[in-house]
Amino acid sequence: MNAVRLDSFDVFVSIVRCGGFRAAALERGVSSSALSQTMNALEEALGIRLLNRTTRSVSPTEAGQRLLERLAPALSDIRLAVAEIDELRDTPSGTLRINAPAPAVDHILCPLALDFMDAYPKVNIEIVSDAAVIDIVEQGFDAGVRFGRQLAQDMIALPLGPPLRYAIVASPLYIEGHGQPWVPHDLVGHECIKRRFPGGTLVNWQFAKGGEDIEVTPTGRLTVSSAHNELQAALAGRGIAHIFDDYAKPHIRDGRLVELLPDWSPTLPHWFLYYPSRRLPSATMRAFLDHVRRYDRTTRP
């Protein structure tokens, strides 16, 4: 077997994880042709094909899959060793990649990240908005944001922001034409704007008042997949929306939306920022965690 460059293995893992040469090249800041040359040299050195390539997709061969399974823990150990060295650095730098649902990004994470970048000009932050529950380590993220019940056991979690609350809202035009619900059961027959989770299930609406808990399955002609689209439809008078009140507050203040059933809206747990417990945080990650703790204290009501 010919000599093999160790960084070629990291390139191979990146191509498989990103699903192709172009995405891996963008992530690594190099050209697709450079990665192709690296993979050709690696396969030639090993004497076996590692990737199945088509015009539309890239996937590991059986040999590639076996190699990938052995490389993952080895590369994790290498990254841990680099993180331990990073402990010695005084100035946080490099890139933090964070995965979070859109509402957390819109109202907490993005403003927090901008403040952090002002404080640490050598730090880059990449935020990926995604509501699906993923393995942040496998996907190459440093941290994620989710509700507490969605966290894996090997994660360390920090509270992020104040408790959450859903608001039921509609435009004055909709209420004028369809009437106003006064209790959750009145929603039956209304044009409720439904939302579907990434996994395919529809969001049910939860209500609570005086020890009574009610769950309503919304009915209506429109189904969307994002809070922004749900808000857009409500503002257009197309139905009743069920959105985080951070989205609704500005429009309630200016009269474009009316909050319905406010006494029935329960307070929910806050978001959590989480990261792997088995990894030694870098200087950049430690600085970011400290920033989160300070930010949480100043925003919690």
Side-chain angles (χ1 to χ4, degrees):
M1 185 180 72
N2 298 329
V4 178
R5 289 176 55 95
L6 292 180
D7 58 349
S8 300
F9 293 118
D10 191 46
V11 169
F12 166 61
V13 172
S14 294
I15 293 169
V16 175
R17 176 169 53 80
C18 294
F21 285 82
R22 180 177 297 179
L26 288 173
E27 181 183 87
R28 299 175 72 88
V30 297
S31 66
S32 298
S33 61
L35 295 190
S36 181
Q37 291 173 8
T38 299
M39 279 306 306
N40 289 338
L42 177 60
E43 290 176 329
E44 183 176 346
L46 296 177
I48 193 168
R49 185 161 50 89
L50 300 176
L51 293 175
N52 291 315
R53 303 169 174 86
T54 70
T55 56
R56 295 186 177 181
S57 65
V58 173
S59 62
T61 63
E62 181 180 358
Q65 186 61 42
R66 290 189 182 185
L67 180 62
L68 190 67
E69 291 171 359
R70 298 296 297 270
L71 283 176
L75 291 176
S76 178
D77 288 342
I78 292 172
R79 293 189 184 97
L80 179 60
V82 173
E84 290 172 345
I85 294 173
D86 194 51
E87 280 277 334
L88 302 176
R89 298 171 63 178
D90 294 328
T91 304
S93 61
T95 300
L96 282 179
R97 299 185 73 236
I98 306 173
N99 182 285
V105 174
D106 291 340
H107 302 122
I108 298 177
L109 189 58
C110 196
L112 183 153
L114 295 177
D115 288 342
F116 182 72
M117 292 172 68
D118 287 340
Y120 297 95
K122 293 185 178 180
V123 173
N124 304 316
I125 295 183
E126 179 181 351
I127 298 174
V128 175
S129 179
D130 184 5
V133 179
I134 67 165
D135 185 332
I136 60 171
V137 176
E138 182 180 284
Q139 297 296 321
F141 290 97
D142 298 288
V145 177
R146 292 296 185 273
F147 286 119
R149 65 178 180 272
Q150 297 175 315
L151 303 185
Q153 293 182 352
D154 60 347
M155 294 290 166
I156 297 175
L158 288 178
L160 183 65
L164 303 169
R165 178 179 175 273
Y166 276 104
I168 307 298
V169 295
S171 71
L173 179 64
Y174 176 87
I175 294 172
E176 181 181 345
H178 297 80
Q180 179 169 341
W182 298 103
V183 295
H185 292 300
D186 291 345
L187 292 169
V188 177
H190 271 278
E191 279 291 325
C192 297
I193 303 162
K194 299 177 291 184
R195 182 139 44 97
R196 193 178 295 279
F197 285 127
T201 59
L202 288 169
V203 178
N204 283 341
W205 297 4
Q206 309 288 337
F207 300 93
K209 180 180 179 182
E212 182 181 6
D213 295 324
I214 297 176
E215 182 175 289
V216 173
T217 300
T219 58
R221 297 170 58 202
L222 178 63
T223 302
V224 297
S225 62
S226 77
H228 285 291
N229 294 144
E230 193 171 352
L231 174 63
Q232 184 180 20
L235 289 169
R238 296 307 181 97
I240 299 175
H242 170 265
I243 54 178
F244 282 121
D245 65 353
D246 284 325
Y247 285 115
K249 284 176 183 175
H251 305 290
I252 294 173
R253 284 195 295 266
D254 66 18
R256 297 183 67 194
L257 291 178
V258 176
E259 182 172 5
L260 310 172
L261 311 174
D263 295 340
W264 285 91
S265 295
T267 299
L268 305 174
H270 42 63
W271 300 108
F272 284 91
L273 178 88
Y274 68 100
Y275 61 98
S277 61
R278 63 181 179 273
R279 287 187 173 182
L280 182 66
S282 66
T284 303
M285 188 63 181
R286 292 198 320 274
F288 186 72
L289 294 174
D290 289 341
H291 190 75
V292 168
R293 293 185 184 98
R294 292 193 299 270
Y295 183 90
D296 185 62
R297 285 198 297 271
T298 59
T299 57
R300 188 183 300 276

